[in-house]
Amino acid sequence: QVQLVESGGGLVQPGESLRLSCVASGLFAFNNYAMSWVRQAPGKGLEWVSGISSGGSRISYTDSVRGRFTISRDNAKNTLYLQMNSLKPEDTAVYYCAKWVVPIRRSDYWGQGTQVTVSS
């Protein structure tokens, strides 16, 4: 059984920061897979946010978060991170970690999601 468990979401004011974590467990060779963060805002579809290669050397971001968000991973801890700074109301969404495939909707491994709400 594979589990991806996100944590770290919450309610913050614009301009504040959050750090999301995603811990992988079970029959999931975390250090062999590229991983990503994906979000879904209320009433909208899935939006790929960021991805990182298995070894961490290749990183990509969607334009709307580049310069504000930082993805990282610790393969020894089977953990994926997303540091989110300068948060905006439009960042409000449920954030999921997922195995990075293209297109992302075809990923076969997803977490349950963590809610991020940015509001004053």
Side-chain angles (χ1 to χ4, degrees), residues 4-107:
L4 299 175
V5 179
E6 301 97 336
S7 62
L11 171 63
V12 295
Q13 295 187 346
E16 294 186 338
S17 299
L18 281 174
R19 189 192 196 202
L20 306 184
S21 299
C22 170
V23 179
S25 63
L27 298 178
F28 186 75
F30 179 81
N31 59 345
N32 286 347
Y33 296 131
M35 296 294 295
S36 62
W37 287 98
V38 182
R39 66 187 179 185
Q40 186 166 28
K44 296 188 177 181
L46 292 173
E47 178 188 21
W48 176 86
V49 174
S50 180
I52 185 168
S53 60
S54 58
S57 61
R58 185 168 64 94
I59 288 174
S60 296
Y61 299 97
T62 192
D63 287 346
S64 62
V65 308
R66 188 175 292 112
R68 300 187 297 122
F69 290 11
T70 302
I71 191 172
S72 62
R73 65 190 296 162
D74 185 338
N75 285 345
K77 296 182 178 180
N78 286 353
T79 303
L80 177 73
Y81 302 100
L82 186 67
Q83 177 68 43
M84 306 186 294
N85 298 331
S86 302
L87 282 161
K88 304 176 180 180
E90 52 263 43
D91 294 318
T92 295
V94 177
Y95 284 72
Y96 302 91
C97 66
K99 179 185 171 184
W100 189 10
V101 300
V102 179
I104 192 61
R105 66 179 183 275
R106 293 185 178 175
S107 180

